[in-house]
């Protein structure tokens, strides 16, 4: 057995019990040999007693020597001393042959297999020869007894090592599975954190960032109107205050994790009507909203996504397109719901829009990425068609869940609490 195996084995409770039993067996067999020699008044009784005591002393010293478990050479020297004394005892009395069986286990335990097997074979030959010399006969039983004992010892030790290796393999496998489970949990946690960050980024971009940008533009317009047009400036300030109130409501919604205030006040078509009215009131863009098909109840996630995509698309139109008119169309179909936002602005090349976070983006490009992420999260699609001088069309299609079939009443349009149509650059 290797040094690592010996060290590992020495730590197992089963091996400690077996080792204690082995020590007791050696002590009992030595005592038996000495007692029988004394009881039979054999001429060599004192020599048998002295040899048995010496052998027990040397044998008992071995477990207290740490080097025996760490050095194969030291173990071999100790075993040689034990074998020498055992050979002397075997020469004095035939009862010494019984010690061959525990010696098999000691040799198999301390020596590597390539050295233990020859040692076991030599011990077997010595036992057979010693017993035959004392009995002056060499029968089949005389040979088979020690040979079978050696075979049993080898089989037991090899079987135990096989079981130990299998248990160690299972232990390592369990540790690997536990580590993999911990890593998977950490990865899922990191993915959840990242997904939540992306969700909050989309929400902030589509709501608070748009509202703050709108407030900035309104206050800048009020500043330009002063002092010549105080009435116009006052109107801009009031609109900015209304936008601030709406953004405060959005911030509170983030804390409460509720649906958008526009959706709480009515249906999705009504929220889109209010969005278009607010955008037309706070910008030079003429916005028209229409609904196609019979409105049906949609899950809150679908309504929130469509409203946010509409806000972001109109914000891009106001900020970048230089358009005079925009058309927003909400279409209810049997298995899908579609939203189209079309403007007559300057247009752009969608393939040339820099990725958000890149050096070329300069803090822009989040709008289109957020819209696509919202559509993908609901197994939908978003398509942007545009060309320089030909306007822009944004089309999003979401599948309707089977449960969303009840008709939803359309609430009348009402003035929005906050203009959500002027975000930071999004495309």
């Amino acid at each position: 057995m290797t040094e690592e195996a010996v060290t590992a084995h020495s730590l197992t409770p089963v091996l400690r019990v077996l080792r204690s039993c082995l020590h007791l067996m050696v002590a009992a067999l030595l005592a038996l040999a000495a007692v029988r020699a004394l009881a039979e008044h054999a001429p060599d009784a004192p020599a048998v007693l002295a040899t048995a005591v010496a052998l027990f002393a040397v044998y008992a010293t071995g477990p207290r020597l740490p080097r025996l478990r760490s050095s194969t050479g030291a173990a071999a020297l100790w075993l040689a001393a034990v074998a020498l004394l055992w050979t002397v005892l075997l020469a004095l009395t035939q009862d010494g042959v019984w010690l061959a069986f525990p010696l098999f286990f000691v040799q198999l335990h301390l020596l590597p297999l390539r050295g233990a097997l020859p040692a076991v074979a030599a011990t077997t030959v010595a036992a057979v020869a010693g017993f035959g010399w004392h009995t002056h006969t060499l029968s089949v039983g005389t040979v088979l007894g020690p040979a079978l004992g050696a075979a049993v010892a080898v089989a037991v030790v090899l079987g135990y090592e096989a079981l130990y290796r299998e248990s160690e393999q299972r232990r390592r496998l369990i540790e690997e599975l536990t580590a993999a489970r911990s890593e998977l949990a950490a990865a899922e946690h990191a993915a959840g954190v990242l997904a939540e960050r992306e969700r909050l980024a989309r929400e902030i971009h589509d709501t608070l960032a748009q509202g703050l940008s709108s407030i900035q533009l309104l206050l800048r317009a009020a500043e330009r109107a002063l002092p010549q047009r105080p009435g116009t400036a006052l109107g801009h300030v009031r609109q900015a205050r209304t936008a601030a109130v709406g953004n405060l409501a959005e911030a509170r919604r983030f804390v409460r994790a509720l649906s958008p205030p526009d959706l709480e006040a009515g249906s999705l078509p009504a929220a889109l009507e209010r969005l278009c009215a607010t955008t037309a009131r706070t910008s030079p863009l003429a916005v028209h909203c229409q609904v196609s098909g019979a409105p049906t109840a949609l899950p809150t996630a679908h309504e929130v996504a469509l409203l946010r995509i509409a806000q972001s698309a109109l914000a891009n139109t106001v900020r970048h397109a230089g358009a005079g008119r925009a058309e927003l169309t909400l279409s209810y179909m049997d298995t899908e719901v579609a939203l189209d936002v079309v403007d007559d602005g300057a247009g752009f090349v969608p393939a040339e829009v820099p990725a958000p976070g890149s050096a070329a983006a300069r803090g822009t490009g989040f709008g289109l990425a957020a819209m696509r992420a919202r559509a993908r999260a609901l197994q939908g699609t978003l398509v942007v068609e545009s060309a320089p001088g030909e306007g822009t069309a944004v089309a999003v299609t979401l599948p309707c869940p089977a449960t969303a079939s009840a008709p939803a009443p359309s609430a009348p349009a009402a003035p929005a609490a906050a203009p959500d149509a002027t975000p930071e650059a999004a495309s």
Side-chain angles (χ1 to χ4, degrees), residues 145-226:
L148 288 178
V152 169
V154 172
V156 169
V157 171
L158 294 182
Y160 177 80
E161 289 185 353
L163 291 175
Y164 179 80
R165 286 193 298 269
E166 183 177 354
S167 65
E168 282 295 295
Q169 184 177 3
R170 289 184 179 181
R171 182 185 61 80
R172 288 193 295 268
L173 180 60
I174 292 173
E175 291 178 353
E176 292 174 359
L177 290 176
T178 303
R181 182 181 298 176
S182 301
E183 293 176 359
L184 179 60
E188 290 178 350
H189 175 72
V193 171
L194 180 60
E196 182 64 13
R197 287 178 178 174
E198 292 178 352
R199 186 189 70 82
L200 290 177
R202 291 195 301 267
E203 291 290 331
I204 293 173
H205 174 272
D206 293 341
T207 56
L208 299 181
Q210 293 179 10
L212 292 175
S213 179
S214 178
I215 292 172
Q216 179 187 14
L217 292 178
L218 289 170
L219 292 178
R220 188 176 298 171
E223 183 181 12
R224 288 197 300 266
L226 290 175

Side-chain angles (χ1 to χ4, degrees), residues 293-336:
T296 59
L298 296 174
T300 302
H302 285 59
E303 293 187 344
V304 170
L306 292 173
L307 178 60
R308 295 305 185 212
I309 290 174
Q311 289 174 334
S312 187
L314 288 178
N316 286 345
T317 300
V318 172
R319 185 70 181 270
H320 305 291
R325 182 176 179 81
E327 294 283 342
L328 189 151
T329 304
L330 178 64
S331 302
Y332 289 93
M333 295 170 280
D334 292 338
T335 59
E336 295 177 332

Side-chain angles (χ1 to χ4, degrees), residues 296-397:
T296 59
L298 296 174
T300 302
H302 285 59
E303 293 187 344
V304 170
L306 292 173
L307 178 60
R308 295 305 185 212
I309 290 174
Q311 289 174 334
S312 187
L314 288 178
N316 286 345
T317 300
V318 172
R319 185 70 181 270
H320 305 291
R325 182 176 179 81
E327 294 283 342
L328 189 151
T329 304
L330 178 64
S331 302
Y332 289 93
M333 295 170 280
D334 292 338
T335 59
E336 295 177 332
V337 60
L339 176 69
D340 299 284
V341 181
V342 182
D343 66 61
D344 60 355
F348 64 100
V349 180
E352 296 180 358
V353 176
S358 63
R362 296 180 180 179
T364 65
F366 292 98
L368 286 177
M371 286 189 283
R372 290 194 176 95
R374 289 184 185 276
R376 282 197 306 269
L378 298 175
Q379 289 77 46
T381 58
L382 185 137
V383 178
V384 179
E385 296 182 355
S386 182
E390 298 183 7
T392 301
V394 176
V396 59
T397 304

Side-chain angles (χ1 to χ4, degrees), residues 220-323:
R220 188 176 298 171
E223 183 181 12
R224 288 197 300 266
L226 290 175
Q228 290 83 4
R229 293 175 293 163
T232 302
L234 179 60
H236 290 322
V237 171
R238 288 174 176 172
Q239 291 181 1
R241 185 180 63 183
T242 303
V245 172
N247 276 266
L248 180 60
E250 288 289 351
R252 288 172 176 170
R253 181 186 67 83
F254 288 151
V255 176
R256 298 193 306 266
L258 299 177
S259 59
D262 286 342
L263 292 177
E264 292 178 356
S267 63
L268 176 62
L272 293 177
E273 289 280 359
R274 287 192 293 271
L275 172 63
C276 293
T278 302
T279 303
R281 187 173 63 251
T282 58
S283 69
L285 183 66
V287 187
H288 178 258
C289 179
Q290 62 179 352
V291 178
S292 174
T296 59
L298 296 174
T300 302
H302 285 59
E303 293 187 344
V304 170
L306 292 173
L307 178 60
R308 295 305 185 212
I309 290 174
Q311 289 174 334
S312 187
L314 288 178
N316 286 345
T317 300
V318 172
R319 185 70 181 270
H320 305 291

